[in-house]
Amino acid sequence: MKWLNVKLIFQREVRDQLRDRRTMFTIFVLPLLLYPLMGMSMMQVAQFLREHPTKILVLGADQLPAEPQLIEENRFLSKYCLNQDDARLLELTLGDGEETGYSKGKQASFDQRMQAVIDRGEFDAVLVFPPGFGRRLADAAAGAGEVRPPQADAIRPRIFYNTTKDKSRMAHDRISYVLRAWREHMVAATLARNKLPALTTRPFQVEYRDVAPVASRRAAVWSKVLPFVVLIWALTGAFYPAIDLCAGEKERGTLETLLCSPAGRNEIVFGKLATVMVFSMATALLNLLVMSGTATFAVRQLEASAGQPLAIGSPPLSAIWWLVLALIPLSALFSALALGIATFARSAKEGQYYLMPLLMITLPLMMLPMLPGVELDLGTSLIPVSGVMLLLRALIEGEYARAAQFTLPAMGVTILCCHFAIRWAIDQFNNESVLFREGERWRLDLWMKNLISQREDTPTFAAAIMCGVLILMMRFFSSMMASTPGHWQGFVTSTLLVQIAFIATPALLMSIMLTRRPRRTLLLQMPHPAAIPAAIGLAVALHPAVVKMGEFISWLYPMSAETTRLLEPIGAMLNEAPLSVLLLAMALAPAICEELAFRGFILSGFRHMGHRRSAVLLSAVFFGVTHGILQQSISATAVGMVLGYLAVQTGSLLPCVLFHFTHNSLLLIAGRLPNSDLIYDKTTVVLGTLAAVSILLWVRSLPKHYTDEEKRQGVLEHPQPAPVIK
Amino acid sequence: MIHVRELTKSYTDMAQGRNVALAGISFDVMPGQIYGLLGPNGAGKTTALRILSTVLQPSGGAATVNGYNVVTQPAQVRRQLGFVSANTAVYDRMTGWEMVEYFGRLYGLEDDLLRNRMEVIFDRLQMNDIRDVLGAKMSTGMQQKVSIARAIVHDPPVLIFDEATSGLDVLVARALMGTVSELRDQGKCIVFSTHIMREAERLCDKIAIMHRGRFLAEGALEELLESRQENDLEELFFGLISQHDERWLAGAFETPAGRNE
């Protein structure tokens, strides 16, 4: 790759974007206007809410005791209110002598009337004191003995409010505070009158000590909000330039001009990627800075008006520093994803439609760290995007030791994702069907007809995806509809049914209908003779490592109590079943059925991408996802990659079936052994892994079978160097 | 200079399934020669020229440009040629000068050499008045001049013009053909695709009539007219196309996919 060309393309694209008024507005002008405007409006709204009076209708006020007095001149006594503002803003209307709905038979109609009063907005809440309220209170205070149930009703005032209306909720809170304070005052007076210590009603007090440093406490809110805002803007900032640089150029016809130039596709992608990344980072940073500035200003204003520090402080400077650092790999990731998606779009308009799916994928990952209880640990640090966000949170909150512990996994996963995203974007640029996609009309009937009548030797990429999705959907719906069987016979039958009907059958039928050479598609050919014992040996050698990996995954992502509870009866059922039957249903059937589908049809289709490793990875992911439970899926994906590698290297399904059968059989047999946890010690795991590596090295030495696309990709990736013109 | 042998290209589209765009074409173009690809829309001209410019990969056959293979040596091939097409637009937000300079730098030209060549090209193509005009503000004729300047800035031995006159008014089209003719006189090897008979008649030393991915006839204009006993290229073209369509409808051709596409 010539970095000079990358630099030239980067410089041109940046200049081009800087000359685009729309980009400039979205990236530079919008944040400068947006946050100050938002800050001002929110302060206005807050002011409005704070200042807004709440209208309260008080019924039965004539029943109130003279002492202690609650209401004076249509106001609650200010000593019972939270502050002077509340006393002023609680506007009371006294409805003395009116019906209060405590009479038998009148309660329902009274409730309806109160609901109507609040719904019409005449009052925000209604406070109702029952008949004889003051007298009964006086009785109780005089120690008239225990309060009997009818009297208990009598001393229960009612607050009518509507939780769906903010002002009504606010009114409820204010009245509740006043009544609580009034009641406490009464209790204190009663205690004093009876010469009892105040401790009678409160034998002990609780003292709360927040051990979080003040800075961390004030940074806590920002540690959740800032990473989210920055990442959203990094994604948005990447998306729009990416659309203009790819789909926009396609539409304007300038992309082909560039493709004819000496710049290689990799150079074009890296030049464009760097541009998108710069704009993604610039957007995020500018938003971060302006938002932080606005927040600092707003917090200072609010603190000045409140006369005391607020619970939430200004965004700490360290937060901005950490965000800038974390932004580099995340912007690269988002930029590569956006570039790949934008290349796929035919026009800028079509490109806009792809923003939503991208957001749908990334938003849950951004929201996850904001959920209560989600903390930075090894498991969460390995989740793309979420891991970095949690890492950022720890850094902003000053938990440096914890952050240092998980920096490597969080950044490692991000860099890995970034690598795959960039490769995908380059692939899109090398894919002429993507670059020259035209707006052909798509008709299902024609497509289906052509799919069958003009089928190729092996399935297309789209057919492989279709098969994978079909299997996933059928498995999902079958698991939703079927109940857990009560006996092992039922479990074995349902397992066999799923394997044969929902996994093997779609793959077989699609091979026959959608390909010219089903045997080649399903790799139904004999491998190198030594590959047969090698596959069995590999499964045996890898087994200790796979078991340890399973344990590690369970430690990393512990199974929920609910899932464990659901799986327990199945485990008990399996222990009752004869081993031979289990081997048939859970080792032999999956070995044949799943291999036909995932290493046969699906992997053959994915190899049309031109990348063997990506095809193996993608088929393994589909294989993993069909296992349903997260912990099993991760493990199955890893095993699926070994199986895919075996299929690609040996060109036959037989080694995969044998590996799969041996692997599953060992798991089932190990489950039957007493103290099965103790089977493998570290030495066994290391020796087994070394043996597995040796076998895989031998498998690697087997002659390779490339598809046409893989050969073509090889030429694209390793072209001969060009001379320099002087 | 350009050697094409049994070049095929097929692709799959969502509506029609597998399409054969090129069904095995062969031709040679020498330095100082303009080779015309004449055919109706959808004949496969653009596909053939995109393969020559390494933008597309062939499904079969071979092609070399100035000795370099379009599949295995794409970077070298791109350095040997300049490509002007109705599909290769100019950048809206770059001036004429910036655009040509950008491509000159991509071709790896040294600063002084690039500046000198640009001055010469801008003078020759009378482009000095659009040096500082943004692409978006240029007329179609101006844009086409910039495209030509971009394509010849590195003085390539091979030039490809793919329906380069489409959308141009008569005056600009005539000027463009004059430029192409000049380039031929300088010894450039030129492929010129068009569906306009008069352009092919006036400009091309050799013409290939293309339809449905095949060459129906190939040779110098006089040879073609003489062999088919026609006086007019348009008549010859129409006759060949109609004849081919009749045979095609009758299922006379086997395509790489095994049947008429």
PDB file of all heavy atoms in Angstrom, chain A residues 61-85:
ATOM      1  N   ALA A  61     -61.931  21.221  55.613  1.00  0.00           N
ATOM      2  CA  ALA A  61     -60.967  22.016  56.391  1.00  0.00           C
ATOM      3  C   ALA A  61     -61.580  22.469  57.711  1.00  0.00           C
ATOM      4  O   ALA A  61     -60.858  22.724  58.686  1.00  0.00           O
ATOM      5  CB  ALA A  61     -60.519  23.219  55.570  1.00  0.00           C
ATOM      6  N   ASP A  62     -62.910  22.534  57.732  1.00  0.00           N
ATOM      7  CA  ASP A  62     -63.581  22.937  58.969  1.00  0.00           C
ATOM      8  C   ASP A  62     -63.461  21.863  60.055  1.00  0.00           C
ATOM      9  O   ASP A  62     -63.761  22.106  61.213  1.00  0.00           O
ATOM     10  CB  ASP A  62     -65.060  23.263  58.688  1.00  0.00           C
ATOM     11  CG  ASP A  62     -65.760  22.107  57.974  1.00  0.00           C
ATOM     12  OD1 ASP A  62     -65.039  21.296  57.315  1.00  0.00           O
ATOM     13  OD2 ASP A  62     -66.986  22.006  58.049  1.00  0.00           O
ATOM     14  N   GLN A  63     -63.048  20.657  59.653  1.00  0.00           N
ATOM     15  CA  GLN A  63     -62.893  19.567  60.616  1.00  0.00           C
ATOM     16  C   GLN A  63     -61.506  19.567  61.245  1.00  0.00           C
ATOM     17  O   GLN A  63     -61.194  18.731  62.093  1.00  0.00           O
ATOM     18  CB  GLN A  63     -63.100  18.211  59.899  1.00  0.00           C
ATOM     19  CG  GLN A  63     -64.434  18.077  59.188  1.00  0.00           C
ATOM     20  CD  GLN A  63     -65.591  18.077  60.163  1.00  0.00           C
ATOM     21  OE1 GLN A  63     -65.479  17.547  61.279  1.00  0.00           O
ATOM     22  NE2 GLN A  63     -66.709  18.711  59.798  1.00  0.00           N
ATOM     23  N   LEU A  64     -60.630  20.466  60.778  1.00  0.00           N
ATOM     24  CA  LEU A  64     -59.254  20.468  61.274  1.00  0.00           C
ATOM     25  C   LEU A  64     -59.202  20.936  62.725  1.00  0.00           C
ATOM     26  O   LEU A  64     -60.006  21.781  63.140  1.00  0.00           O
ATOM     27  CB  LEU A  64     -58.398  21.403  60.421  1.00  0.00           C
ATOM     28  CG  LEU A  64     -58.008  20.888  59.032  1.00  0.00           C
ATOM     29  CD1 LEU A  64     -57.379  22.011  58.208  1.00  0.00           C
ATOM     30  CD2 LEU A  64     -57.036  19.719  59.141  1.00  0.00           C
ATOM     31  N   PRO A  65     -58.277  20.402  63.545  1.00  0.00           N
ATOM     32  CA  PRO A  65     -58.169  20.864  64.933  1.00  0.00           C
ATOM     33  C   PRO A  65     -57.622  22.281  64.982  1.00  0.00           C
ATOM     34  O   PRO A  65     -56.920  22.706  64.050  1.00  0.00           O
ATOM     35  CB  PRO A  65     -57.169  19.869  65.538  1.00  0.00           C
ATOM     36  CG  PRO A  65     -56.357  19.386  64.395  1.00  0.00           C
ATOM     37  CD  PRO A  65     -57.249  19.402  63.204  1.00  0.00           C
ATOM     38  N   ALA A  66     -57.984  22.973  66.052  1.00  0.00           N
ATOM     39  CA  ALA A  66     -57.479  24.338  66.212  1.00  0.00           C
ATOM     40  C   ALA A  66     -55.988  24.310  66.487  1.00  0.00           C
ATOM     41  O   ALA A  66     -55.227  25.181  66.044  1.00  0.00           O
ATOM     42  CB  ALA A  66     -58.216  25.024  67.356  1.00  0.00           C
ATOM     43  N   GLU A  67     -55.567  23.263  67.218  1.00  0.00           N
ATOM     44  CA  GLU A  67     -54.141  23.127  67.562  1.00  0.00           C
ATOM     45  C   GLU A  67     -53.659  21.721  67.227  1.00  0.00           C
ATOM     46  O   GLU A  67     -54.383  20.755  67.536  1.00  0.00           O
ATOM     47  CB  GLU A  67     -53.930  23.394  69.056  1.00  0.00           C
ATOM     48  CG  GLU A  67     -53.769  24.850  69.412  1.00  0.00           C
ATOM     49  CD  GLU A  67     -52.623  25.563  68.722  1.00  0.00           C
ATOM     50  OE1 GLU A  67     -51.531  24.941  68.571  1.00  0.00           O
ATOM     51  OE2 GLU A  67     -52.812  26.715  68.293  1.00  0.00           O
ATOM     52  N   PRO A  68     -52.551  21.494  66.647  1.00  0.00           N
ATOM     53  CA  PRO A  68     -51.711  22.506  66.016  1.00  0.00           C
ATOM     54  C   PRO A  68     -52.341  22.957  64.709  1.00  0.00           C
ATOM     55  O   PRO A  68     -52.864  22.140  63.963  1.00  0.00           O
ATOM     56  CB  PRO A  68     -50.393  21.769  65.760  1.00  0.00           C
ATOM     57  CG  PRO A  68     -50.773  20.329  65.645  1.00  0.00           C
ATOM     58  CD  PRO A  68     -51.969  20.123  66.504  1.00  0.00           C
ATOM     59  N   GLN A  69     -52.238  24.226  64.450  1.00  0.00           N
ATOM     60  CA  GLN A  69     -52.877  24.811  63.278  1.00  0.00           C
ATOM     61  C   GLN A  69     -52.130  24.394  62.010  1.00  0.00           C
ATOM     62  O   GLN A  69     -50.898  24.354  61.987  1.00  0.00           O
ATOM     63  CB  GLN A  69     -52.840  26.333  63.404  1.00  0.00           C
ATOM     64  CG  GLN A  69     -53.686  27.030  62.365  1.00  0.00           C
ATOM     65  CD  GLN A  69     -53.602  28.528  62.490  1.00  0.00           C
ATOM     66  OE1 GLN A  69     -52.880  29.039  63.358  1.00  0.00           O
ATOM     67  NE2 GLN A  69     -54.346  29.244  61.676  1.00  0.00           N
ATOM     68  N   LEU A  70     -52.917  24.051  60.977  1.00  0.00           N
ATOM     69  CA  LEU A  70     -52.284  23.632  59.713  1.00  0.00           C
ATOM     70  C   LEU A  70     -52.405  24.721  58.648  1.00  0.00           C
ATOM     71  O   LEU A  70     -51.464  24.966  57.889  1.00  0.00           O
ATOM     72  CB  LEU A  70     -52.947  22.342  59.200  1.00  0.00           C
ATOM     73  CG  LEU A  70     -52.480  21.818  57.848  1.00  0.00           C
ATOM     74  CD1 LEU A  70     -51.020  21.374  57.925  1.00  0.00           C
ATOM     75  CD2 LEU A  70     -53.336  20.637  57.378  1.00  0.00           C
ATOM     76  N   ILE A  71     -53.599  25.356  58.599  1.00  0.00           N
ATOM     77  CA  ILE A  71     -53.869  26.311  57.516  1.00  0.00           C
ATOM     78  C   ILE A  71     -54.143  27.689  58.113  1.00  0.00           C
ATOM     79  O   ILE A  71     -54.857  27.818  59.117  1.00  0.00           O
ATOM     80  CB  ILE A  71     -55.077  25.854  56.677  1.00  0.00           C
ATOM     81  CG1 ILE A  71     -54.746  24.515  55.977  1.00  0.00           C
ATOM     82  CG2 ILE A  71     -55.466  26.902  55.630  1.00  0.00           C
ATOM     83  CD1 ILE A  71     -55.925  23.852  55.319  1.00  0.00           C
ATOM     84  N   GLU A  72     -53.539  28.690  57.479  1.00  0.00           N
ATOM     85  CA  GLU A  72     -53.793  30.064  57.920  1.00  0.00           C
ATOM     86  C   GLU A  72     -53.927  30.930  56.664  1.00  0.00           C
ATOM     87  O   GLU A  72     -53.018  30.927  55.810  1.00  0.00           O
ATOM     88  CB  GLU A  72     -52.603  30.554  58.759  1.00  0.00           C
ATOM     89  CG  GLU A  72     -52.842  31.905  59.390  1.00  0.00           C
ATOM     90  CD  GLU A  72     -51.628  32.331  60.215  1.00  0.00           C
ATOM     91  OE1 GLU A  72     -50.502  32.204  59.688  1.00  0.00           O
ATOM     92  OE2 GLU A  72     -51.792  32.768  61.338  1.00  0.00           O
ATOM     93  N   GLU A  73     -55.023  31.605  56.544  1.00  0.00           N
ATOM     94  CA  GLU A  73     -55.303  32.480  55.395  1.00  0.00           C
ATOM     95  C   GLU A  73     -55.054  31.771  54.055  1.00  0.00           C
ATOM     96  O   GLU A  73     -54.262  32.210  53.217  1.00  0.00           O
ATOM     97  CB  GLU A  73     -54.452  33.757  55.491  1.00  0.00           C
ATOM     98  CG  GLU A  73     -54.836  34.628  56.655  1.00  0.00           C
ATOM     99  CD  GLU A  73     -53.908  35.821  56.793  1.00  0.00           C
ATOM    100  OE1 GLU A  73     -52.949  35.923  56.014  1.00  0.00           O
ATOM    101  OE2 GLU A  73     -54.150  36.630  57.690  1.00  0.00           O
ATOM    102  N   ASN A  74     -55.744  30.641  53.915  1.00  0.00           N
ATOM    103  CA  ASN A  74     -55.667  29.861  52.680  1.00  0.00           C
ATOM    104  C   ASN A  74     -54.249  29.421  52.297  1.00  0.00           C
ATOM    105  O   ASN A  74     -53.924  29.267  51.127  1.00  0.00           O
ATOM    106  CB  ASN A  74     -56.286  30.630  51.499  1.00  0.00           C
ATOM    107  CG  ASN A  74     -57.809  30.579  51.564  1.00  0.00           C
ATOM    108  OD1 ASN A  74     -58.368  30.091  52.555  1.00  0.00           O
ATOM    109  ND2 ASN A  74     -58.454  31.066  50.528  1.00  0.00           N
ATOM    110  N   ARG A  75     -53.414  29.254  53.266  1.00  0.00           N
ATOM    111  CA  ARG A  75     -52.038  28.752  53.036  1.00  0.00           C
ATOM    112  C   ARG A  75     -51.715  27.751  54.129  1.00  0.00           C
ATOM    113  O   ARG A  75     -52.186  27.888  55.278  1.00  0.00           O
ATOM    114  CB  ARG A  75     -51.006  29.890  53.145  1.00  0.00           C
ATOM    115  CG  ARG A  75     -51.188  30.988  52.139  1.00  0.00           C
ATOM    116  CD  ARG A  75     -50.320  30.723  50.916  1.00  0.00           C
ATOM    117  NE  ARG A  75     -50.570  31.769  49.930  1.00  0.00           N
ATOM    118  CZ  ARG A  75     -50.602  31.560  48.632  1.00  0.00           C
ATOM    119  NH1 ARG A  75     -50.409  30.360  48.154  1.00  0.00           N
ATOM    120  NH2 ARG A  75     -50.815  32.528  47.802  1.00  0.00           N
ATOM    121  N   PHE A  76     -50.892  26.752  53.741  1.00  0.00           N
ATOM    122  CA  PHE A  76     -50.348  25.903  54.807  1.00  0.00           C
ATOM    123  C   PHE A  76     -49.348  26.736  55.590  1.00  0.00           C
ATOM    124  O   PHE A  76     -48.670  27.607  54.997  1.00  0.00           O
ATOM    125  CB  PHE A  76     -49.615  24.703  54.192  1.00  0.00           C
ATOM    126  CG  PHE A  76     -50.538  23.656  53.622  1.00  0.00           C
ATOM    127  CD1 PHE A  76     -50.436  23.256  52.289  1.00  0.00           C
ATOM    128  CD2 PHE A  76     -51.507  23.043  54.424  1.00  0.00           C
ATOM    129  CE1 PHE A  76     -51.267  22.282  51.763  1.00  0.00           C
ATOM    130  CE2 PHE A  76     -52.351  22.067  53.894  1.00  0.00           C
ATOM    131  CZ  PHE A  76     -52.235  21.691  52.567  1.00  0.00           C
ATOM    132  N   LEU A  77     -49.230  26.430  56.861  1.00  0.00           N
ATOM    133  CA  LEU A  77     -48.234  27.154  57.658  1.00  0.00           C
ATOM    134  C   LEU A  77     -46.849  26.856  57.082  1.00  0.00           C
ATOM    135  O   LEU A  77     -46.522  25.685  56.800  1.00  0.00           O
ATOM    136  CB  LEU A  77     -48.289  26.707  59.129  1.00  0.00           C
ATOM    137  CG  LEU A  77     -49.046  27.651  60.063  1.00  0.00           C
ATOM    138  CD1 LEU A  77     -50.521  27.734  59.668  1.00  0.00           C
ATOM    139  CD2 LEU A  77     -48.927  27.196  61.505  1.00  0.00           C
ATOM    140  N   SER A  78     -46.074  27.901  56.908  1.00  0.00           N
ATOM    141  CA  SER A  78     -44.806  27.716  56.188  1.00  0.00           C
ATOM    142  C   SER A  78     -43.851  26.785  56.921  1.00  0.00           C
ATOM    143  O   SER A  78     -43.007  26.147  56.318  1.00  0.00           O
ATOM    144  CB  SER A  78     -44.123  29.064  55.937  1.00  0.00           C
ATOM    145  OG  SER A  78     -43.862  29.661  57.187  1.00  0.00           O
ATOM    146  N   LYS A  79     -44.028  26.638  58.267  1.00  0.00           N
ATOM    147  CA  LYS A  79     -43.081  25.789  59.002  1.00  0.00           C
ATOM    148  C   LYS A  79     -43.243  24.307  58.624  1.00  0.00           C
ATOM    149  O   LYS A  79     -42.364  23.508  58.890  1.00  0.00           O
ATOM    150  CB  LYS A  79     -43.224  25.982  60.503  1.00  0.00           C
ATOM    151  CG  LYS A  79     -44.565  25.569  61.083  1.00  0.00           C
ATOM    152  CD  LYS A  79     -44.551  25.786  62.589  1.00  0.00           C
ATOM    153  CE  LYS A  79     -45.913  25.440  63.180  1.00  0.00           C
ATOM    154  NZ  LYS A  79     -45.952  25.695  64.618  1.00  0.00           N
ATOM    155  N   TYR A  80     -44.381  23.953  58.023  1.00  0.00           N
ATOM    156  CA  TYR A  80     -44.578  22.569  57.610  1.00  0.00           C
ATOM    157  C   TYR A  80     -44.148  22.333  56.162  1.00  0.00           C
ATOM    158  O   TYR A  80     -44.195  21.204  55.679  1.00  0.00           O
ATOM    159  CB  TYR A  80     -46.045  22.143  57.760  1.00  0.00           C
ATOM    160  CG  TYR A  80     -46.568  22.282  59.167  1.00  0.00           C
ATOM    161  CD1 TYR A  80     -47.743  22.955  59.444  1.00  0.00           C
ATOM    162  CD2 TYR A  80     -45.853  21.709  60.233  1.00  0.00           C
ATOM    163  CE1 TYR A  80     -48.212  23.083  60.722  1.00  0.00           C
ATOM    164  CE2 TYR A  80     -46.312  21.852  61.532  1.00  0.00           C
ATOM    165  CZ  TYR A  80     -47.486  22.538  61.767  1.00  0.00           C
ATOM    166  OH  TYR A  80     -47.935  22.668  63.048  1.00  0.00           O
ATOM    167  N   CYS A  81     -43.806  23.388  55.472  1.00  0.00           N
ATOM    168  CA  CYS A  81     -43.433  23.238  54.055  1.00  0.00           C
ATOM    169  C   CYS A  81     -41.925  23.035  53.939  1.00  0.00           C
ATOM    170  O   CYS A  81     -41.159  23.395  54.835  1.00  0.00           O
ATOM    171  CB  CYS A  81     -43.838  24.472  53.258  1.00  0.00           C
ATOM    172  SG  CYS A  81     -45.613  24.702  53.251  1.00  0.00           S
ATOM    173  N   LEU A  82     -41.548  22.456  52.796  1.00  0.00           N
ATOM    174  CA  LEU A  82     -40.127  22.177  52.544  1.00  0.00           C
ATOM    175  C   LEU A  82     -39.337  23.487  52.575  1.00  0.00           C
ATOM    176  O   LEU A  82     -38.247  23.551  53.114  1.00  0.00           O
ATOM    177  CB  LEU A  82     -39.972  21.479  51.176  1.00  0.00           C
ATOM    178  CG  LEU A  82     -38.561  21.090  50.779  1.00  0.00           C
ATOM    179  CD1 LEU A  82     -37.980  20.054  51.742  1.00  0.00           C
ATOM    180  CD2 LEU A  82     -38.557  20.505  49.359  1.00  0.00           C
ATOM    181  N   ASN A  83     -39.882  24.503  51.960  1.00  0.00           N
ATOM    182  CA  ASN A  83     -39.224  25.818  51.968  1.00  0.00           C
ATOM    183  C   ASN A  83     -40.287  26.903  51.763  1.00  0.00           C
ATOM    184  O   ASN A  83     -41.468  26.595  51.565  1.00  0.00           O
ATOM    185  CB  ASN A  83     -38.135  25.897  50.887  1.00  0.00           C
ATOM    186  CG  ASN A  83     -38.652  25.422  49.538  1.00  0.00           C
ATOM    187  OD1 ASN A  83     -39.759  25.764  49.145  1.00  0.00           O
ATOM    188  ND2 ASN A  83     -37.867  24.594  48.854  1.00  0.00           N
ATOM    189  N   GLN A  84     -39.826  28.126  51.781  1.00  0.00           N
ATOM    190  CA  GLN A  84     -40.755  29.248  51.634  1.00  0.00           C
ATOM    191  C   GLN A  84     -41.481  29.225  50.293  1.00  0.00           C
ATOM    192  O   GLN A  84     -42.659  29.576  50.195  1.00  0.00           O
ATOM    193  CB  GLN A  84     -39.986  30.566  51.777  1.00  0.00           C
ATOM    194  CG  GLN A  84     -39.504  30.849  53.199  1.00  0.00           C
ATOM    195  CD  GLN A  84     -40.664  31.019  54.178  1.00  0.00           C
ATOM    196  OE1 GLN A  84     -41.707  31.576  53.843  1.00  0.00           O
ATOM    197  NE2 GLN A  84     -40.506  30.504  55.389  1.00  0.00           N
ATOM    198  N   ASP A  85     -40.738  28.767  49.249  1.00  0.00           N
ATOM    199  CA  ASP A  85     -41.336  28.698  47.894  1.00  0.00           C
ATOM    200  C   ASP A  85     -42.554  27.794  47.890  1.00  0.00           C
ATOM    201  O   ASP A  85     -43.598  28.124  47.335  1.00  0.00           O
ATOM    202  CB  ASP A  85     -40.324  28.180  46.882  1.00  0.00           C
ATOM    203  CG  ASP A  85     -39.386  29.277  46.441  1.00  0.00           C
ATOM    204  OD1 ASP A  85     -39.706  30.448  46.712  1.00  0.00           O
ATOM    205  OD2 ASP A  85     -38.347  28.951  45.846  1.00  0.00           O
TER     206      ASP A  85
END
